[in-house]
Amino acid sequence: WVVLAFCCLGQLCAGQSLKPQLAGAQLATNNPTLTTVALEKPVCTFDSSLHPNKSYLIYLYAMKESASAISSMVTINSSKPLDSTFQQTNGGQLGPYKAALFSIPSCATPPRLADVGDINKVSDVLKQYLFRVGDDGTCLYDPNFFGVCNPPLAPDTTYRFKYVLVDSNEDIMKDQTLWSDPIKTRRVKLPLKIDTWPGQRSGGMIVITSILSVLMFLLLAGLLASVSSAIMRSEDSSAETKCTSQTVQQSELKPQLSSE
């Protein structure tokens, strides 16, 4: 599945015709969560816009779906990228905010596929191809944090995301993707509304429960049988001992009666 994912990422074209994609279930399970969304990084997306001897960064912008289309611009004067923060946009309600910035993912030298099977390297490989929005739970409340804040998203809320290629020397936008399709975070489920009725369990769980119940019954039956057998043997042994004692006593009395 990793080979297929890399092949799909390698087929990306110009940024203007693409949009950020939700990472597949094979690469990121439980996605989206209540407060995070895992996206595929723009691997090979902006290659046609890159020039030698230039330094570039990728900006990731996020905004709530309810934000107006007028406020969806991510540049000032058509070139300078926005520096709006999570707090300034009310968590994306008033418009896009810069959620992250990172270097351009390598398209020419991707990670070796053999490293995916190494448990010590698979995490680094996935980090080169995936980015999780909302993964920083402390930056909003840390007075010493001055970087780009990527705070948790709101549960049960629809967001859109955009990648922007920025010339880091001139601080101007060189290319950008389209806004992503709407992506909704999961809804909080109240404990009282969680259905614990067995009918909601999967077939495998029911089979396992049935097998364990039968094994428990057999174990208890075997235990009871063992106890009953031990008690019966004890009673038989007591009866045999009593009978033997009476026989010995009778045999001792007979000579005495004969002598008298």
Side-chain angles (χ1 to χ4, degrees):
W1 53 264
V2 176
V3 174
L4 292 176
F6 287 167
C7 290
C8 291
L9 289 171
Q11 293 175 357
L12 297 180
C13 303
Q16 287 286 358
S17 62
L18 294 174
K19 59 184 68 175
Q21 299 292 326
L22 193 66
Q26 300 91 340
L27 297 176
T29 58
N30 191 30
N31 182 39
T33 66
L34 291 173
T35 58
T36 65
V37 172
L39 299 174
E40 294 179 355
K41 283 186 176 180
V43 179
C44 304
T45 301
F46 299 117
D47 275 16
S48 60
S49 301
L50 302 179
H51 298 282
N53 303 320
K54 289 283 188 177
S55 178
Y56 299 94
L57 290 172
I58 301 293
Y59 286 8
L60 170 62
Y61 289 92
M63 71 173 183
K64 292 183 179 179
E65 171 67 9
S66 56
S68 65
I70 297 177
S71 62
S72 63
M73 299 294 295
V74 295
T75 57
I76 302 173
N77 298 327
S78 302
S79 61
K80 186 175 177 61
L82 285 176
D83 279 328
S84 53
T85 65
F86 183 89
Q87 297 95 323
Q88 291 171 343
T89 61
N90 193 21
Q93 181 68 41
L94 304 178
Y97 67 91
K98 187 163 63 175
L101 61 86
F102 49 85
S103 58
I104 300 175
S106 175
C107 181
T109 57
R112 295 190 307 116
L113 296 181
D115 291 342
V116 177
D118 188 339
I119 192 172
N120 297 319
K121 297 181 180 180
V122 63
S123 178
D124 293 335
V125 172
L126 294 180
K127 283 180 181 178
Q128 295 186 54
Y129 286 92
L130 301 180
F131 183 83
R132 190 173 293 276
V133 189
D135 204 29
D136 191 341
T138 61
C139 60
L140 283 179
Y141 312 103
D142 185 357
N144 299 317
F145 183 86
F146 300 101
V148 178
C149 189
N150 178 30
L153 304 175
D156 194 26
T157 304
T158 303
Y159 290 87
R160 289 181 182 269
F161 305 96
K162 177 192 283 281
Y163 287 123
V164 174
L165 177 67
V166 177
D167 185 327
S168 57
N169 294 326
E170 300 178 10
D171 193 27
I172 59 174
M173 183 194 71
K174 288 298 185 179
D175 203 350
Q176 62 180 318
T177 66
L178 301 174
W179 281 102
S180 70
D181 294 329
I183 300 175
K184 191 173 185 179
T185 54
R186 293 193 177 185
R187 177 185 302 179
V188 177
K189 196 164 187 179
L190 298 176
L192 294 177
K193 293 186 178 181
I194 297 177
D195 193 351
T196 58
W197 179 249
Q200 298 298 323
R201 300 294 184 262
S202 66
M205 293 177 64
I206 293 175
V207 170
I208 293 173
T209 303
S210 301
I211 293 174
L212 291 176
S213 299
V214 171
L215 290 176
M216 181 62 70
F217 173 78
L218 294 176
L219 180 62
L220 291 175
L223 180 61
L224 291 175
S226 298
V227 172
S228 299
S229 177
I231 293 174
M232 291 179 65
R233 286 198 301 268
S234 177
E235 290 178 350
D236 292 343
S237 177
S238 298
E240 183 178 354
T241 302
K242 184 177 180 180
C243 181
T244 303
S245 177
Q246 290 176 351
T247 303
V248 170
Q249 291 177 0
Q250 290 176 359
S251 62
E252 291 177 350
L253 287 175
K254 285 181 180 180
Q256 294 179 1
L257 292 176
S258 300
S259 62
E260 291 177 355

